[in-house]
Amino acid sequence: MHISLDRLLADLHELATFGATVDGGVERTSFSPADLAARQWLSQRCDDAGLTLRRDGIGNLFARLGDQPGPAVWTGSHLDSVPNGGRFDGALGVLCSLEALRTIAESGTPPPRPLQLVVFADEEGCYHHLLGSTAVVQGFDADILAEMVGRDGRRLTDALRSAGIDPAEATTTTVDPADVHAFVELHIEQGVTLEGAGAQIGVVESIVGLGGGALTFLGRADHAGTTPMHLRRDPMRGAACFLSHLQQVVAEAGDGRSVATCGRLAVAPGADNIVAQRITVFLDFRDPDRKVLEALEQAMVQRARACAAEHDVEVSYERGSLTDPVPLDEGVRATIAEVADEQGRTLRHLPSGAGHDSQLMARIAPAGMIFVPSRDGRSHSPAEHTAADDIEAGANVLLHTLLRLAGT
Ligand code: GLV
Ligand code: MN
Ligand code: MN
């Protein structure tokens, strides 16, 4: 049994029109009009394939093949993108899963276990990192949901309403682990390992530990024209000092695999003619080892304190989250490797430096991930690209991994 590459590429091409940007990428942040339109389009595709559709209270979509009782084999990824993102992150996994289910449906020989495509809502964390899979695995209380605000300032509850979902439904999303036999997600690697090794298939061993937090440098707002330079308590100086040392902190406190990023700053009050009162430096830091992650966090806070003292401002740190590295299931990994081997694909076992919904699904079911190469390792940018023959290889490995897990 083989997937249809032509049909898969046509879908990929059409999906990329939702939120298309002039430079060839997509802007499809969660619950934006482009995201909602893409979800509508996908629902129609699933319906055309004869799959049974369902949506839960947080906006996850499910499309099922087979009405046998018992746990299903789940597969899927996400359709939302980062701001100014690429066409492949998440989207490729969803479409490969759809293509695999469609191929199985057309074969006329359904496997013993049902299969279910899942499209997780807000993987990219406009409202909450891995929102949809977190809702499936542990759920959210109403008061937490009511407080969630997106990067654009919109409330999640308003976003849900715009998607036709009553926010009261969003507290009822958890799934019984007994209903999930296994989960498999195909995704672009978003790094250079596979390309460098000349391998078409990656079997993901584990997903990186991820920290998020905010350093707030506090100074004194003053007139930009009348306050002499030596009389200022400018928090921008503290933040700039910290950021200029960040690479060194990672080199000293990390283990060679660590990364730390500030991709967002908030400046208050935020006007050209006011010395800032407050600068918030949002941090994303990652490492496959929890202990290293904690040491890195501590080293960053220490450096921020030293910079604040040097520039006569204050600093405080608030941890947003710290998630453990997640090993993926050995059995699912072995199945993926076996299938790839049988199909004559070159294979590499590797960790994931990106977060994925699989890290949540691993809490309720045996979970595995298939990586396909990313050209030049580029991702979270319109430069994302994966070659057609790599897509075909990945989709066929996914297809036969699903068949095997579903008992064929
Ligand atoms: C998800 O894309 C992440 O931030 O790793
Ligand atoms: Mn991403
Ligand atoms: Mn992704």
Side-chain angles (χ1 to χ4, degrees):
M1 208 186 291
H2 297 279
I3 60 97
S4 160
L5 180 63
D6 287 346
R7 184 168 59 182
L8 176 53
L9 292 180
D11 273 357
L12 193 60
H13 188 74
E14 200 171 338
L15 177 54
T17 62
F18 296 98
T21 56
V22 286
D23 44 10
V26 295
E27 170 103 10
R28 210 160 53 219
T29 52
S30 321
F31 302 114
S32 63
D35 183 40
L36 297 182
R39 293 151 59 89
Q40 187 58 41
W41 172 84
L42 188 90
S43 301
Q44 187 58 52
R45 274 285 189 280
C46 292
D47 197 46
D48 294 345
L51 308 178
T52 309
L53 274 163
R54 182 172 77 81
R55 152 187 84 54
D56 74 6
I58 204 82
N60 294 318
L61 295 174
F62 303 91
R64 196 171 175 100
L65 173 64
D67 51 12
Q68 318 81 305
V73 175
W74 288 31
T75 181
S77 194
H78 60 99
L79 288 178
D80 64 306
S81 81
V82 291
N84 197 30
R87 303 164 159 223
F88 292 80
D89 180 354
L92 184 65
V94 169
L95 293 180
C96 286
S97 295
L98 169 61
E99 181 56 31
L101 264 58
R102 213 158 37 184
T103 304
I104 296 168
E106 286 165 356
S107 74
T109 43
R113 291 191 187 93
L115 288 151
Q116 179 156 274
L117 162 67
V118 54
V119 178
F120 290 110
D122 197 23
E123 191 271 354
E124 299 289 7
C126 179
Y127 297 88
H128 183 286
H129 191 220
L130 309 173
L131 177 78
S133 49
T134 306
V136 161
V137 170
Q138 66 185 44
F140 288 106
D141 292 337
D143 50 342
I144 303 275
L145 290 165
E147 277 172 18
M148 275 187 207
V149 177
R151 280 189 216 106
D152 55 0
R154 186 156 76 136
R155 288 194 170 281
L156 174 67
T157 46
D158 291 334
L160 288 172
R161 280 188 200 97
S162 77
I165 302 173
D166 176 355
E169 275 184 70
T171 56
T172 60
T173 50
T174 50
V175 164
D176 184 348
D179 291 339
V180 191
H181 179 72
F183 175 67
V184 189
E185 177 174 12
L186 180 144
H187 203 282
I188 54 169
E189 183 203 335
Q190 311 179 277
V192 293
T193 304
L194 294 178
E195 194 180 56
Q200 279 192 300
I201 298 294
V203 182
V204 181
E205 299 166 317
S206 61
I207 299 177
V208 74
L210 207 156
L215 282 166
T216 300
F217 291 87
L218 187 68
R220 195 182 64 195
D222 274 308
H223 195 294
T226 59
T227 317
M229 296 305 278
H230 71 282
L231 288 182
R232 300 178 180 202
R233 293 183 55 229
D234 184 350
M236 193 68 85
R237 293 178 187 167
C241 165
F242 169 78
L243 291 171
S244 70
H245 284 95
L246 188 54
Q247 186 169 355
Q248 188 193 350
V249 174
V250 174
E252 286 169 7
D255 61 3
R257 303 173 295 181
S258 317
V259 288
T261 307
C262 167
R264 186 162 61 102
L265 289 169
V267 181
D272 295 6
N273 61 355
I274 311 173
V275 175
Q277 163 94 14
R278 200 172 62 239
I279 307 287
T280 307
V281 173
F282 294 94
L283 292 171
D284 174 306
F285 49 103
R286 308 182 185 205
D287 194 274
D289 183 331
R290 165 97 190 190
K291 282 200 173 63
V292 176
L293 201 59
E294 285 174 358
L296 180 60
E297 182 183 44
Q298 216 169 32
M300 289 191 294
V301 173
Q302 265 168 16
R303 174 62 64 162
R305 289 200 181 114
C307 284
E310 193 180 319
H311 294 283
D312 192 24
V313 296
E314 288 160 37
V315 70
S316 61
Y317 175 69
E318 189 174 347
R319 180 192 281 181
S321 61
L322 200 78
T323 59
D324 281 319
V326 179
L328 295 181
D329 183 73
E330 279 184 25
V332 178
R333 277 157 55 191
T335 303
I336 297 167
E338 234 170 65
V339 168
D341 210 39
E342 283 169 20
Q343 296 185 1
R345 300 301 178 187
T346 43
L347 179 83
R348 183 87 186 214
H349 296 264
L350 76 175
S352 170
H356 296 287
D357 294 304
S358 292
Q359 72 196 66
L360 270 302
M361 289 303 291
R363 288 203 216 156
I364 61 165
M369 289 192 79
I370 299 166
F371 273 178
V372 291
S374 294
R375 186 172 66 196
D376 299 328
R378 300 294 305 280
S379 186
H380 280 188
S381 129
E384 276 175 7
H385 183 75
T386 296
D389 56 340
D390 291 337
I391 293 177
E392 185 173 26
N396 276 316
V397 169
L398 176 67
L399 167 67
H400 286 274
T401 299
L402 294 175
L403 283 169
R404 215 158 282 194
L405 292 170
T408 295

